[in-house]
Amino acid sequence: MAEYLKMEAEELEHEFSAVRKKYNELLSLNLSLDMSRGKPNFDNMDLCDEVFTAVTKESGYKTLAGVDCRNYGGMDGLPEAKALFAEIFGVEPSQVIVGGNSSLSMMFDTVAQGMTHGFGEGAWGKQDNIKFICPAPGYDRHFAVTEHFGIELLYVPMTENGPDMDMVEELCRDASVKGMWCVPKYSNPEGITFSDETVRRMAALKPAAKDFRIFWDNAYAVHDLYDEGDDLLNIYDECVKAGNPDLVFMFTSTSKITFPGAGIAAQAASPNNIAMIKSRLQYQTIGPDKLNQLRHLRFLPDMAAVKNQMKKHAEILRPKFESVLEELEKQLFDTGIARWTKPRGGYFISLYVLEGTAKRVEELCKAAGMVLTPAGATYPYGKDPYNSNIRIAPSFPSVEEIKKAAEVLCVAVRYAALEKLIGKC
Amino acid sequence: MAEYLKMEAEELEHEFSAVRKKYNELLSLNLSLDMSRGKPNFDNMDLCDEVFTAVTKESGYKTLAGVDCRNYGGMDGLPEAKALFAEIFGVEPSQVIVGGNSSLSMMFDTVAQGMTHGFGEGAWGKQDNIKFICPAPGYDRHFAVTEHFGIELLYVPMTENGPDMDMVEELCRDASVKGMWCVPKYSNPEGITFSDETVRRMAALKPAAKDFRIFWDNAYAVHDLYDEGDDLLNIYDECVKAGNPDLVFMFTSTSKITFPGAGIAAQAASPNNIAMIKSRLQYQTIGPDKLNQLRHLRFLPDMAAVKNQMKKHAEILRPKFESVLEELEKQLFDTGIARWTKPRGGYFISLYVLEGTAKRVEELCKAAGMVLTPAGATYPYGKDPYNSNIRIAPSFPSVEEIKKAAEVLCVAVRYAALEKLIGKC
């Protein structure tokens, strides 16, 4: 493979002819592939069959402490569920709220609370032009929540160590900047883990807005693909050290541990923040579905069980990631038109193609029967300033499908790059 | 039993002496009774054991239409669940959203949406001094939701046919009045069902605020105690007839059909209203817990199954209601100091004691080991203008406990009344 950027016009034409031929062959296969969504596959979910029968008449619907999980009550979740998530978050159980099946809902509701009640400094909704920092590429649904509430989205680029902290520190000087979205571990879609220095700088932020909050969506907290996973510094500990205990709201869920649509979600924060969340929750709910929490606790009684479960998931997911990475390596290595992340966990690989060609790659893939996450979707307002990033979600298709999908993708990346380079000649 | 209000001082003293003796006897029993909460008892919940095992690996986790209920998706609930609730609400399935385990959350979120986005006329939160009509006695948690958002609560008295509609019509002329709470069938805590005329007048309201909404919490839609239950007119049909299709948001749940804390909840409204709710939901959630919806659908596949289930509940609840009513009749009939409702369904009986004595009755009961819903709690801001109403929740204790509790209550009612009447002599 030669470096495209150094090719002469004739070489480019020659390469394009070969790539076009390959692409046309793929077109003729009438493929139907989908790498657009970070959904677990059936075989991942099949690992959790025991959840279904974890609570029965025979096994009983009470916790060991005697709580009847069928009835009302327990606004912040079962104590045993709080203890398990406390271990995942690295905080005290009293700092945890365990809710329903959707951590996105907890994040949405927390932003909504900011809008209507605020966090000690008045309702955000009564203030003009409030803003959120959105490191990108990031999780489109985070950005969408804040956009829904009319909050302005501020783009900050991701680096290999996390968000560009110089920019974050600068932006925080504006009192209308009220918060920041993060997926700190195996980030969506980068698959990278924030460095210790990034976490420390984040915890030490001195935002002009006293009610500035980091929304720390640790969705992939235990989602290693390899025995040796990434280590993420405990941001809450760092916040406490920096005298900033109220700076962060943390979130996670079992969506990718048990069932995406029927897991349990949790949030954690400082005692002060948790008290504020509870001051809303007491009006919002009769309490979460404790039976589903009990099902989960019986299936995953402790961290050892969680880790064991994640190893099984990894065995299914790892070959899918590796298939993509192998194909990227095979087709794009030293072409100079692409770079990509090599995640050690999570659900995504991030691919950067030749600037200005991501949307074209998406089109070419679509024409060949393969659905990608829409190019740009991982940026605020859906606009990638470089039209370069592509999110690869290898979890749902089978390994065979993934191999074919990666092949199509790489051919499309080369196709689009050559098209552009030739156009410039 | 003689009429207290007609007694001379000496007769009152004589009666008080007898009642005080009886009360002291009850005190000496060291009772521990609770009639404060509308919670189903274990035997009600035991009727639903089959829900636990309705979804297993063997029975499968797909709907008949093939939806895998474990994964993401289906923001507004399973189509089959929407169809079942559509029958309960009397609307089209497309007008229904089936959610998580808490209809209170759906109501809270709908009010929250009013605050941040409004319903076609701008965010309520951007307007000053907005108000909600609160027919009382009513459900304290309804009132609390609106109070939480800083909405002013307007007291409207309940009559035997529902809210005082003359007052409601008058209040609606004020454009800052944005909504109204209702429990239209077997109301909490009256146990009465709104008359056809009340429903029609409500549906024909012409509020000054175009974004005025009735929050129609039909929590006890199918909760008859007798074969012949109350009939509630379909408010949505009446709204359509009156040219007001967008006037009402309807809510219900299976909290008192299956499990209070782990049932499924639903809301229904006009296509226009539902589109507005979905415009929020798409940002708020990854979808409800479809596995729990599937469990419920397998346990309660159709209205016949629901009705059959409710008959079983009624067999457990009816003797509890009748025990209370018998004791009220026995001790308070023709004393002239109390009146009460005689519900044919729902979870509550409403007792009106001599004006100015409800809080004293609560105290006397408490001293005798019996917890009542705090007097006044069923009124806006927790203030019963007549200090007269007591909510009786007979569902949770056993029949034996209920009999004893009703005895304590009636003795306390007489004690407090005599104390007051003697004080006036």
Side-chain angles (χ1 to χ4, degrees):
Chain A
M1 195 74 60
E3 188 165 347
Y4 282 18
L5 301 183
K6 292 181 181 163
M7 283 182 183
E8 301 294 331
E10 201 178 333
E11 283 174 289
L12 286 170
E13 285 291 359
H14 186 258
E15 176 75 5
F16 191 34
S17 159
V19 169
R20 207 164 39 203
K21 181 160 175 267
K22 182 70 198 160
Y23 179 73
N24 286 332
E25 280 168 29
L26 290 168
L27 271 186
S28 70
L29 298 179
N30 293 314
L31 298 168
S32 174
L33 299 163
D34 190 337
M35 289 214 297
S36 69
R37 293 281 315 272
K39 286 167 74 166
N41 198 329
F42 307 111
D43 44 6
N44 285 102
M45 297 188 289
D46 287 346
L47 296 173
C48 314
D49 284 341
E50 287 165 39
V51 174
F52 294 123
T53 44
V55 175
T56 64
K57 185 183 177 185
E58 288 68 34
S59 65
Y61 13 74
K62 289 190 181 178
T63 64
L64 290 177
V67 172
D68 187 327
C69 296
R70 302 172 300 177
N71 221 329
Y72 293 122
M75 174 177 75
D76 54 352
L78 292 174
E80 296 84 349
K82 290 168 65 177
L84 180 61
F85 280 108
E87 215 172 326
I88 293 174
F89 285 121
V91 298
E92 294 299 315
S94 61
Q95 291 173 249
V96 177
I97 293 170
V98 187
N101 67 321
S102 169
S103 59
L104 185 71
S105 296
M106 290 181 129
M107 295 179 232
F108 179 100
D109 289 354
T110 305
V111 174
Q113 179 171 357
M115 295 304 291
T116 57
H117 290 75
F119 297 107
E121 304 286 319
W124 293 349
K126 298 270 186 194
Q127 300 165 48
D128 289 330
N129 306 318
I130 66 163
K131 306 173 183 75
F132 250 63
I133 297 170
C134 300
Y139 182 32
D140 55 341
R141 299 197 70 161
H142 285 164
F143 305 159
V145 166
T146 24
E147 196 179 352
H148 169 70
F149 284 105
I151 297 171
E152 189 182 334
L153 312 182
L154 303 177
Y155 166 59
V156 164
M158 283 289 284
T159 74
E160 61 187 7
N161 295 312
D164 178 331
M165 286 308 297
D166 291 343
M167 266 187 82
V168 170
E169 285 162 355
E170 182 61 33
L171 290 169
C172 279
R173 293 183 187 181
D174 176 352
S176 67
V177 176
K178 295 297 185 185
M180 173 174 183
W181 290 110
C182 291
V183 183
K185 189 168 178 183
Y186 304 135
S187 63
N188 176 354
E190 299 284 88
I192 65 127
T193 298
F194 293 6
S195 70
D196 291 359
E197 196 205 338
T198 298
V199 176
R200 286 198 186 100
R201 285 178 73 178
M202 217 172 274
L205 283 173
K206 298 288 177 210
K210 296 265 173 286
D211 50 356
F212 177 97
R213 292 292 184 276
I214 298 168
F215 283 65
W216 190 256
D217 181 5
N218 205 351
Y220 309 103
V222 292
H223 301 58
D224 303 321
L225 287 172
Y226 298 90
D227 285 346
E228 197 131 328
D230 291 351
D231 285 319
L232 174 69
L233 211 57
N234 182 327
I235 192 168
Y236 181 69
D237 286 351
E238 297 303 318
C239 285
V240 170
K241 281 184 213 163
N244 264 342
D246 296 339
L247 192 66
V248 65
F249 284 121
M250 295 172 277
F251 303 89
T252 197
S253 79
T254 71
S255 287
K256 278 141 184 166
I257 300 175
T258 58
F259 303 126
I264 53 178
Q267 75 182 105
S270 68
N272 185 38
N273 279 337
I274 288 295
M276 285 194 281
I277 297 294
K278 286 184 181 174
S279 77
R280 163 178 48 85
L281 262 191
Q282 65 178 310
Y283 299 111
Q284 190 177 10
T285 181
I286 54 152
D289 181 341
K290 295 186 296 298
L291 280 178
N292 205 36
Q293 295 189 6
L294 183 60
R295 269 182 214 109
H296 276 75
L297 286 165
R298 288 185 178 164
F299 182 64
L300 300 170
D302 51 31
M303 274 305 281
V306 172
K307 283 179 181 161
N308 185 43
Q309 172 77 356
M310 296 321 290
K311 271 189 205 296
K312 295 182 196 167
H313 281 303
E315 279 161 30
I316 294 168
L317 290 169
R318 200 169 46 238
K320 297 182 179 185
F321 275 74
E322 290 179 349
S323 298
V324 173
L325 293 171
E326 272 166 32
E327 190 69 21
L328 290 168
E329 201 70 24
K330 186 175 137 197
Q331 286 201 48
L332 300 177
F333 174 70
D334 84 7
T335 56
I337 56 166
R339 64 184 173 88
W340 53 92
T341 58
K342 297 173 188 68
R344 300 187 63 77
Y347 263 67
F348 303 100
I349 295 166
S350 203
L351 170 66
Y352 292 85
V353 299
L354 189 66
E355 279 189 22
T357 66
K359 279 194 186 299
R360 179 63 177 146
V361 170
E362 182 195 342
E363 276 169 23
L364 289 164
C365 285
K366 192 176 174 192
M370 179 179 140
V371 185
L372 284 172
T373 307
T378 55
Y379 288 77
Y381 307 113
K383 282 178 205 148
D384 173 358
Y386 307 104
N387 187 17
S388 166
N389 182 259
I390 286 172
R391 182 178 88 160
I392 303 175
S395 57
F396 195 73
S398 68
V399 173
E400 282 317 299
E401 287 168 331
I402 281 291
K403 284 184 177 168
K404 194 45 93 180
E407 186 186 348
V408 174
L409 174 62
C410 292
V411 169
V413 169
R414 292 162 66 197
Y415 191 118
L418 288 162
E419 220 174 35
K420 186 167 182 203
L421 293 168
I422 290 166
K424 276 189 184 163
C425 287
Chain B
M1 194 73 61
E3 189 165 345
Y4 282 18
L5 301 182
K6 292 183 180 163
M7 283 182 182
E8 301 294 329
E10 201 179 333
E11 285 175 289
L12 286 170
E13 285 291 358
H14 185 259
E15 176 74 5
F16 191 33
S17 159
V19 168
R20 206 163 40 203
K21 181 159 176 267
K22 182 69 198 161
Y23 179 73
N24 287 332
E25 281 169 27
L26 291 167
L27 271 187
S28 70
L29 298 179
N30 293 315
L31 297 169
S32 174
L33 299 162
D34 191 338
M35 289 213 299
S36 70
R37 293 279 316 272
K39 286 167 75 165
N41 198 328
F42 308 111
D43 44 5
N44 286 102
M45 296 188 290
D46 287 346
L47 295 173
C48 314
D49 284 339
E50 289 165 38
V51 174
F52 294 122
T53 45
V55 175
T56 64
K57 186 184 176 185
E58 288 68 35
S59 65
Y61 14 73
K62 289 190 181 178
T63 64
L64 290 177
V67 172
D68 187 327
C69 296
R70 301 171 301 177
N71 223 329
Y72 293 122
M75 174 177 78
D76 55 351
L78 291 174
E80 297 83 350
K82 291 167 65 178
L84 180 60
F85 280 109
E87 215 172 327
I88 293 173
F89 284 122
V91 299
E92 294 299 316
S94 61
Q95 291 172 251
V96 176
I97 293 169
V98 186
N101 68 322
S102 170
S103 60
L104 185 70
S105 295
M106 291 181 128
M107 295 178 232
F108 180 100
D109 289 354
T110 304
V111 175
Q113 180 171 357
M115 295 304 290
T116 57
H117 290 75
F119 298 106
E121 305 285 318
W124 294 348
K126 298 269 186 196
Q127 301 166 49
D128 289 329
N129 306 316
I130 66 163
K131 305 173 184 78
F132 250 64
I133 297 169
C134 300
Y139 182 32
D140 55 343
R141 299 198 70 161
H142 284 165
F143 305 159
V145 166
T146 26
E147 196 179 351
H148 170 69
F149 285 105
I151 298 172
E152 189 182 334
L153 313 182
L154 303 177
Y155 166 59
V156 163
M158 284 288 284
T159 73
E160 61 186 7
N161 294 312
D164 179 332
M165 286 307 298
D166 291 344
M167 266 186 82
V168 170
E169 285 162 355
E170 182 62 33
L171 289 169
C172 280
R173 293 184 188 181
D174 176 352
S176 67
V177 176
K178 295 296 185 185
M180 173 174 183
W181 291 109
C182 291
V183 183
K185 189 168 178 183
Y186 304 134
S187 63
N188 175 355
E190 298 284 88
I192 65 126
T193 297
F194 293 6
S195 71
D196 292 358
E197 197 205 337
T198 297
V199 176
R200 287 200 185 98
R201 285 178 71 177
M202 217 171 274
L205 283 173
K206 298 287 175 211
K210 297 266 174 284
D211 51 355
F212 178 98
R213 293 292 184 276
I214 299 167
F215 283 65
W216 190 256
D217 181 5
N218 205 351
Y220 308 103
V222 293
H223 300 58
D224 303 320
L225 288 171
Y226 297 91
D227 285 345
E228 196 132 330
D230 290 353
D231 285 319
L232 174 69
L233 211 57
N234 182 327
I235 192 168
Y236 181 70
D237 286 351
E238 296 303 317
C239 284
V240 170
K241 279 185 215 165
N244 264 342
D246 295 339
L247 192 66
V248 65
F249 284 121
M250 296 172 277
F251 303 89
T252 197
S253 79
T254 71
S255 288
K256 279 143 184 164
I257 300 175
T258 57
F259 303 125
I264 53 177
Q267 75 181 108
S270 68
N272 185 38
N273 280 336
I274 288 296
M276 286 194 281
I277 297 294
K278 287 184 180 174
S279 76
R280 163 177 50 84
L281 262 192
Q282 65 178 309
Y283 299 109
Q284 189 177 11
T285 182
I286 54 152
D289 182 342
K290 296 186 295 297
L291 280 178
N292 205 35
Q293 294 188 6
L294 183 61
R295 272 182 210 105
H296 276 76
L297 286 165
R298 287 184 178 166
F299 183 63
L300 299 170
D302 53 30
M303 275 305 281
V306 172
K307 283 181 180 161
N308 185 43
Q309 172 76 355
M310 297 320 291
K311 272 190 204 296
K312 295 181 196 167
H313 280 303
E315 278 161 29
I316 294 168
L317 290 169
R318 201 168 46 237
K320 297 181 179 185
F321 276 74
E322 290 179 349
S323 297
V324 173
L325 293 171
E326 271 167 31
E327 189 71 20
L328 289 168
E329 200 70 24
K330 186 175 137 196
Q331 284 201 48
L332 300 176
F333 174 71
D334 86 6
T335 56
I337 56 166
R339 64 185 173 87
W340 55 90
T341 58
K342 297 173 187 68
R344 299 186 63 77
Y347 262 66
F348 302 100
I349 295 166
S350 203
L351 170 66
Y352 292 85
V353 299
L354 189 66
E355 277 189 22
T357 66
K359 279 194 186 297
R360 179 63 177 146
V361 170
E362 182 195 342
E363 275 169 24
L364 289 164
C365 285
K366 193 175 175 193
M370 179 177 142
V371 184
L372 283 172
T373 307
T378 56
Y379 288 77
Y381 305 112
K383 282 179 204 147
D384 173 358
Y386 306 104
N387 186 16
S388 166
N389 182 259
I390 287 171
R391 182 178 88 160
I392 303 174
S395 57
F396 195 72
S398 67
V399 174
E400 281 317 298
E401 287 168 331
I402 281 292
K403 283 184 177 169
K404 193 46 92 179
E407 187 187 346
V408 174
L409 174 62
C410 291
V411 169
V413 169
R414 291 162 68 197
Y415 191 118
L418 289 161
E419 220 174 35
K420 183 165 184 204
L421 293 169
I422 288 167
K424 277 190 183 162
C425 286

